[in-house]
């Protein structure tokens, strides 16, 4: 319950920083004041009451237009934030994929000795697990208008915390890994689950970014 309250407060602080919210709030307050003034002068001064009633009617139209504009602005802001965050996530995924491919190809010119090769294997594990950390910790990032862990889990069907637990088991295996005559197939088998999950996530992220870009264009057109 406490966490949900914090998330709600986080969203309120982010969205109230948008200028459209303030414009909507000001117009709404002015319309309420005009309505109250119209009621107050209804019996004592019908002329003023009529003026305030007309002002109120005009402001109501402004409230409706401002509300629509505010909703569009909030949606656009959230969409842009999602695109930027997912693009950053996809760069991390590409970095992992590159390190994984280099590890599997096992180019001896890149690894001068077993220690360098082992460090690369361990770094590949860390790179993959850092993606899970980024997704999980994003929910505590108060600059984001969404819960990154929940969003990725619900929209892309990827549970970062569950994958992190699996990676802990992989880490234990790597710590006792014997590099003598280890083959590429053995490394593939060792990283099979991590690589499958992150490669699949990479495809989903790319597809989702494309969908969000289409939504962004549609919102921009509707705003214009």
């Amino acid at each position: 319950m406490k966490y949900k309250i914090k998330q709600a407060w986080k969203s309120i602080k982010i969205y109230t920083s948008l200028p459209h919210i303030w414009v909507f709030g000001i117009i709404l307050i002015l319309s309420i004041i005009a309505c109250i003034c119209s009621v107050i002068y209804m019996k004592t001064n019908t002329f003023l009451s009529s003026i305030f009633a007309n002002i109120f009617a005009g402001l109501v139209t402004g409230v409706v237009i401002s509300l629509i504009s505010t909703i569009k602005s909030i949606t656009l802001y959230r969409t842009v934030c999602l695109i930027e965050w997912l693009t950053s996530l996809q760069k991390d995924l590409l970095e992992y994929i590159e390190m994984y491919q280099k590890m599997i190809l096992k180019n001896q010119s890149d690894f001068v000795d077993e220690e360098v090769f082992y460090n690369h294997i361990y770094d590949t594990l860390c790179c993959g697990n850092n993606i899970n950390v980024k997704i999980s910790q994003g929910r505590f990032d108060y600059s984001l208008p969404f819960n990154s862990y929940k969003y990725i889990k619900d929209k892309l069907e990827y549970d970062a915390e569950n994958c992190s637990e699996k990676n802990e088991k992989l880490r234990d295996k790597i710590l006792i890994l014997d590099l003598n005559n280890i083959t590429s197939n053995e490394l593939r088998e060792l990283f099979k689950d991590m690589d499958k999950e992150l490669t699949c996530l990479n495809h989903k992220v790319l597809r989702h970014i494309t969908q969000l870009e289409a939504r962004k264009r549609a919102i921009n057109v509707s705003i214009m």
Side-chain angles (χ1 to χ4, degrees):
M1 184 65 182
K2 187 177 180 181
Y3 175 72
K4 289 183 178 179
I5 293 173
K6 284 185 177 181
Q7 285 295 119
W9 179 240
K10 164 189 167 182
S11 299
I12 290 170
K13 286 199 295 185
I14 289 174
Y15 291 128
T16 51
S17 66
L18 298 175
H20 288 79
I21 295 290
W22 287 98
V23 171
F24 171 73
I26 291 170
I27 295 174
L28 181 62
I29 291 170
L30 289 174
S31 66
I32 293 172
I33 292 172
C35 180
I36 293 172
C37 289
S38 178
V39 173
I40 290 174
Y41 288 110
M42 189 175 292
K43 293 182 179 180
T44 59
N45 193 325
T46 55
F47 176 70
L48 279 178
S49 178
S50 176
I51 291 176
F52 281 116
N54 290 332
I55 293 173
F56 171 71
L59 288 173
V60 166
T61 303
V63 167
V64 173
I65 295 173
S66 180
L67 178 60
I68 294 171
S69 177
T70 299
I71 292 172
K72 287 181 178 179
S73 296
I74 289 174
T75 305
L76 179 61
Y77 175 75
R78 178 181 170 84
T79 301
V80 170
C81 287
L82 278 167
I83 291 172
E84 291 176 352
W85 188 83
L86 287 171
T87 299
S88 174
L89 180 65
Q90 206 263 327
K91 287 180 180 178
D92 293 341
L93 286 163
L94 287 178
E95 181 183 357
Y96 159 78
I97 292 171
E98 183 180 347
M99 292 184 69
Y100 173 81
Q101 291 297 330
K102 185 178 179 181
M103 177 185 69
I104 295 301
L105 292 174
K106 197 181 176 182
N107 189 337
Q108 295 301 325
S109 63
D110 295 326
F111 307 115
V112 293
D113 54 42
E114 284 190 357
E115 183 179 356
V116 175
F117 185 42
Y118 178 83
N119 288 339
H120 183 80
I121 293 173
Y122 193 82
D123 288 345
T124 302
L125 165 70
C126 292
C127 184
N129 198 52
N130 285 342
I131 293 168
N132 296 318
V133 173
K134 181 174 185 173
I135 294 171
S136 297
Q137 293 300 314
R139 75 185 104 175
F140 306 114
D141 185 348
Y142 289 93
S143 67
L144 296 177
F146 58 91
N147 182 324
S148 59
Y149 170 72
K150 191 173 185 301
Y151 189 88
I152 295 296
K153 184 178 180 181
D154 293 345
K155 297 291 184 180
L156 303 185
E157 299 176 338
Y158 181 86
D159 190 334
E161 290 190 347
N162 184 47
C163 289
S164 288
E165 291 177 5
K166 293 180 182 178
N167 292 345
E168 282 298 315
K169 296 178 181 178
L170 174 58
R171 177 179 174 276
D172 293 339
K173 293 179 181 179
I174 290 176
L175 287 175
I176 60 173
L177 189 64
D178 183 7
L179 294 183
N180 292 324
N181 301 317
I182 191 168
T183 65
S184 294
N185 286 335
E186 288 172 334
L187 284 173
R188 283 194 184 94
E189 184 63 26
L190 191 64
F191 278 81
K192 181 177 67 175
D193 291 338
M194 172 187 272
D195 188 60
K196 180 181 178 182
E197 288 161 347
L198 291 180
T199 301
C200 183
L201 177 61
N202 183 54
H203 293 318
K204 289 180 179 180
V205 167
L206 281 172
R207 187 164 58 248
H208 199 58
I209 289 174
T210 301
Q211 294 170 351
L212 290 171
E213 289 285 2
R215 183 198 296 177
K216 177 184 169 184
R217 288 192 294 271
I219 294 171
N220 282 328
V221 169
S222 63
I223 288 176
M224 293 172 63

